[in-house]
Amino acid sequence: DIQMTQSPSSLSAFVGDRVTITCRASQSIGSFLIWYQQKPGKAPKLLIYAASNLESGVPSRFSGSGSGTDFTLTISSLQPEDSATYYCQQSYSTPPTFGQGTKVEIK
Amino acid sequence: EVQLLESGGGLVQPGGSLRLSCAASQFTFSSYAMSWVRQAPGKGLEWVSTISGSGSSTYYADSVKGRFTISRDNSKNTLYVQMNGLTPEDTAVYYCARGQYCSGGSCQNDYWGQGTLVTVSS
């Protein structure tokens, strides 16, 4: 199975800050990388697919980059509603695997 | 708007069985793979199973293989998972999700249901 490792596990930042979350795969997955946002008590929401493609309706302050084994989710200007846990997932091979999550809090 | 509505969760004793359902609407159900993903209390996301749009292909996590069976009824736009031999480690919120651009059982899940809680305890 492909292991997905996110860092950091949690972070706290001010509104307006630039926030970066990293996801590393244990082997190359091309661009088969997805980012989800999950708020407490809610289902995950698709943010980014194919490593860098923004899902329709997702604010443009979210962006994704990377290929192979190293990927990044960036929030260019953190907003209060971005407080959530973010997960990466590889869709390169079965079983699909998720990172452990990064909890983003607002200072 | 795509809708996915899970049902069937509840409290079950260890060794017991439960069947979850996921009613889909507002899209052509048979054209999409569907998955179950679970989340134990306070934990991360764990893939459980995926079924192709036709139902001819199924995939399972090792942790549930031989105990869980995924199925679908395209005439009823409904996804199921039959869960047997439940253990406390199966306690989680179970989400159904629509999949696309799948590589085998590994999909991009673009829509998710609200989840249904399964608690395995004596």
Side-chain angles (χ1 to χ4, degrees):
Chain A
D1 298 0
I2 298 175
Q3 306 302 315
M4 306 299 293
T5 304
Q6 286 182 235
S7 61
S9 296
S10 65
L11 66 89
S12 182
F14 291 101
V15 171
D17 281 353
R18 183 182 184 88
V19 168
T20 299
I21 299 168
T22 297
C23 178
R24 175 163 288 177
S26 60
Q27 65 184 75
S28 179
I29 59 170
S31 295
F32 290 86
L33 193 283
I34 301 153
W35 289 99
Y36 300 98
Q37 175 193 65
Q38 187 180 35
K39 297 183 178 181
K42 300 294 187 181
K45 172 187 174 183
L46 175 63
L47 292 180
I48 303 277
Y49 62 94
S52 61
N53 292 273
L54 197 66
E55 175 70 351
S56 176
V58 174
S60 59
R61 63 180 179 273
F62 290 93
S63 64
S65 65
S67 66
T69 60
D70 294 316
F71 302 87
T72 299
L73 173 69
T74 299
I75 308 173
S76 61
S77 177
L78 189 67
Q79 299 301 303
E81 60 267 31
D82 300 335
S83 178
T85 300
Y86 294 83
Y87 294 94
C88 62
Q89 178 218 321
Q90 63 83 13
S91 60
Y92 178 79
S93 67
T94 306
T97 45
F98 294 86
Q100 79 279 16
T102 295
K103 186 174 184 178
V104 174
E105 296 179 323
I106 308 296
K107 284 184 181 176
Chain B
E1 175 79 21
V2 168
Q3 292 194 355
L4 299 170
L5 184 61
E6 302 94 338
S7 61
L11 175 64
V12 60
Q13 291 190 337
S17 299
L18 211 55
R19 188 178 83 155
L20 306 183
S21 301
C22 171
S25 60
Q26 302 304 315
F27 67 98
T28 304
F29 184 64
S30 60
S31 295
Y32 290 86
M34 296 294 296
S35 297
W36 290 99
V37 177
R38 67 185 181 183
Q39 187 169 36
K43 302 298 184 182
L45 300 170
E46 180 190 17
W47 172 75
V48 173
S49 184
T50 296
I51 186 168
S52 62
S54 67
S56 61
S57 298
T58 57
Y59 308 85
Y60 297 94
D62 286 346
S63 58
V64 306
K65 198 172 294 182
R67 299 188 300 123
F68 288 15
T69 302
I70 192 171
S71 63
R72 64 192 297 159
D73 186 336
N74 286 343
S75 69
K76 295 182 178 179
N77 290 348
T78 303
L79 173 72
Y80 305 98
V81 62
Q82 176 68 43
M83 305 186 295
N84 300 329
L86 286 162
T87 74
E89 290 68 41
D90 295 315
T91 294
V93 173
Y94 285 74
Y95 296 101
C96 65
R98 190 178 84 166
Q100 55 179 348
Y101 309 120
C102 302
S103 173
S106 193
C107 304
Q108 170 187 311
N109 298 120
D110 58 353
Y111 287 94
W112 298 62
Q114 85 290 347
T116 187
L117 176 63
V118 172
T119 302
V120 185
S121 175
S122 55

